[in-house]
Amino acid sequence: MFLQKIIGAFLVTPGLFILLLIVGSFFFKKARWFLLALAAIVYLFSSYVGEFLFLWSLEKNLDVPVTLPDDAVIVVLGGGVERNTKAGDTLSDATLRRLLTGVQIYQKTKMPILVTGGSLTGLRPEAMIMKDYLVSLGVPEEKITVEDRSRNTYENAFFTREKIGDVPIILVTDSIHMRRAVSTFKSFFQSVTPYPAGFYFGDPEFVDFLPNATSFYLNSRAIYEWIGLVWYNFRWR
């Protein structure tokens, strides 16, 4: 079984790309060390090793809160829309995860929900699609506020403050994005309670050390967040 997993990992990307780089290093001797170094970098980005370096530190201080503030607003950040699919405009997996977490909080507290997310291309704003999902899941329309102008995390916070004022908020986004989101929202709100929509980093199994597309995706997102944190702190400090 282990041998099957190892072989399978190097027959699909990103493992296949690593294998091709290693094989290529035997044929292109002048570029051997460059190709091997590139293979090592791709492996780092596509395995548990990279998750430990890039992802773990984003999640390590996060927990699902045991207690929640009174009279707060549940603020759910959009995480992307799949446009023009056969089913129309549908929410990405990241947005669905956040939205379902917001619904779970609403079911426990009956606090109002604000969904935030606009559109970069002039199409139907993400927040409007999120509202439709909430209504279909049984959240009363009068409990939902829509912020549909924002195009990034900073604008999420800025326009949310314009909509609801400086009230206590329960901030819902996924764990990878939470650190940057909290940092940004605390510039506009005195009381921000982070409520992660799930976690990604866990104890590894053997297969997690093999190159895989999931780790590559998570590490890519984590690196993007670290770059975003540096950029936001530099631009809006």
Side-chain angles (χ1 to χ4, degrees), residues 213-231:
T214 299
S215 289
F216 188 83
Y217 167 72
L218 292 175
N219 287 326
S220 297
R221 285 197 57 201
I223 293 168
Y224 176 87
E225 285 303 318
W226 284 115
I227 294 171
L229 279 165
V230 172
W231 170 250

Side-chain angles (χ1 to χ4, degrees), residues 77 114 116-120 147-163 180 184-185 188-189 232 235-236:
L77 307 188
L114 181 142
T116 170
S119 172
L120 293 173
E147 185 291 294
D148 59 3
R149 291 188 290 167
S150 56
R151 297 163 297 174
N152 53 49
T153 304
Y154 179 86
E155 291 184 358
N156 287 149
F158 179 84
F159 290 127
T160 295
R161 170 62 186 268
E162 279 195 352
K163 280 279 186 180
R180 180 161 59 101
T184 305
F185 271 78
F188 297 93
F189 294 89
Y232 273 53
R235 185 173 182 182
W236 287 296

Side-chain angles (χ1 to χ4, degrees), residues 63 72 94 96 107 138 147 165:
D63 289 296
L96 282 173
Q107 290 172 340
E147 185 291 294

Side-chain angles (χ1 to χ4, degrees), residues 30-102:
K30 291 184 178 180
R32 173 175 292 177
W33 292 112
F34 172 77
L35 294 174
L36 290 176
L38 188 57
I41 292 170
V42 175
Y43 171 76
L44 177 66
F45 287 170
S46 60
S47 69
Y48 182 84
V49 178
E51 290 183 37
F52 180 78
L53 292 175
F54 306 121
L55 176 59
W56 171 72
S57 51
L58 290 173
E59 291 190 345
K60 66 177 181 178
N61 294 323
L62 285 177
D63 289 296
V64 175
V66 177
T67 59
L68 296 173
D70 297 325
D71 300 321
V73 175
I74 305 163
V75 177
V76 183
L77 307 188
V81 177
E82 307 294 344
R83 298 287 185 182
N84 301 316
T85 71
K86 290 183 178 180
D89 291 344
T90 60
L91 298 178
S92 68
D93 291 344
T95 306
L96 282 173
R97 182 191 289 258
R98 301 174 189 186
L99 206 59
L100 290 174
T101 301

Side-chain angles (χ1 to χ4, degrees), residues 161 166-167 185-186 188-192:
R161 170 62 186 268
D166 187 8
V167 300
F185 271 78
K186 281 187 174 180
F188 297 93
F189 294 89
Q190 294 184 36
S191 175
V192 178

Side-chain angles (χ1 to χ4, degrees), residues 190-222:
Q190 294 184 36
S191 175
V192 178
T193 301
Y195 201 113
F199 295 87
Y200 299 96
F201 186 84
D203 294 331
E205 299 179 5
F206 166 76
V207 294
D208 295 321
F209 289 94
L210 297 174
N212 62 90
T214 299
S215 289
F216 188 83
Y217 167 72
L218 292 175
N219 287 326
S220 297
R221 285 197 57 201

